[in-house]
Amino acid sequence: MKKQDEGFTLVELLIVIVILGILATVTVFAVRGITDQGQESACEADLKTLQTATEGFFAAYGGTEIPTGTDTGTAAYVAAVNDTTNQVSGPGASPEQTLINARLVVDTSDNYEVTDSGGITYQVATCIPDTAPAGTDVGDAVVN
């Protein structure tokens, strides 16, 4: 009686390797789409947060520009800075820093930049819609 070898043939192993390769490729492309959606969501959230913060600043303190540096801003903002109970700091080096000092946002955005007038410009290419060139205004949050 002859004993047969147990195990897989070379062809069977190659088929399994090809199937695993196909599954890995499908998985990589599926995950790539998910990360793209995550970046889009982060851009949308950053934009909405900055728009809300600039609208809140102008609603609370008035004026037409967000003060920076030595600019003290409107009388309402100066009063808020001088009132020690509300913990509002003076103008920052940038409009975003002033929004942080006014306690309207917690941190600056890597995706967008706020202008003195409250407009928002792109800083990261992944946040630019297909219809807008880099550096263009994406929204004007100035309350008239």
Side-chain angles (χ1 to χ4, degrees):
M1 194 155 102
K2 191 174 181 184
K3 186 176 179 186
Q4 289 185 332
D5 289 336
E6 294 180 16
F8 298 106
T9 66
L10 183 58
V11 172
E12 291 170 330
L13 290 173
L14 287 174
I15 291 172
V16 169
I17 290 171
V18 168
I19 291 172
L20 289 175
I22 292 170
L23 289 174
T25 302
V26 168
T27 302
V28 165
F29 285 110
V31 169
R32 187 175 180 186
I34 291 170
T35 56
D36 290 345
Q37 290 173 352
Q39 179 62 38
E40 289 175 17
S41 295
C43 289
E44 290 173 10
D46 275 358
L47 178 60
K48 194 65 172 167
T49 299
L50 289 175
Q51 286 174 334
T52 302
T54 54
E55 288 172 1
F57 184 88
F58 289 124
Y61 304 116
T64 58
E65 289 193 351
I66 299 173
T68 57
T70 57
D71 180 12
T72 58
T74 63
Y77 186 65
V78 171
V81 170
N82 293 332
D83 183 1
T84 57
T85 60
N86 61 16
Q87 300 177 346
V88 173
S89 301
S94 68
E96 291 168 331
Q97 189 61 46
T98 301
L99 293 176
I100 291 171
N101 293 351
R103 302 207 177 264
L104 294 168
V105 291
V106 176
D107 199 3
T108 59
S109 169
D110 293 332
N111 299 321
Y112 300 99
E113 183 176 281
V114 178
T115 64
D116 290 345
S117 64
I120 300 170
T121 58
Y122 299 100
Q123 295 302 309
V124 178
T126 54
C127 289
I128 300 173
D130 297 335
T131 58
T136 58
D137 246 2
V138 293
D140 193 0
V142 177
V143 177
N144 293 327

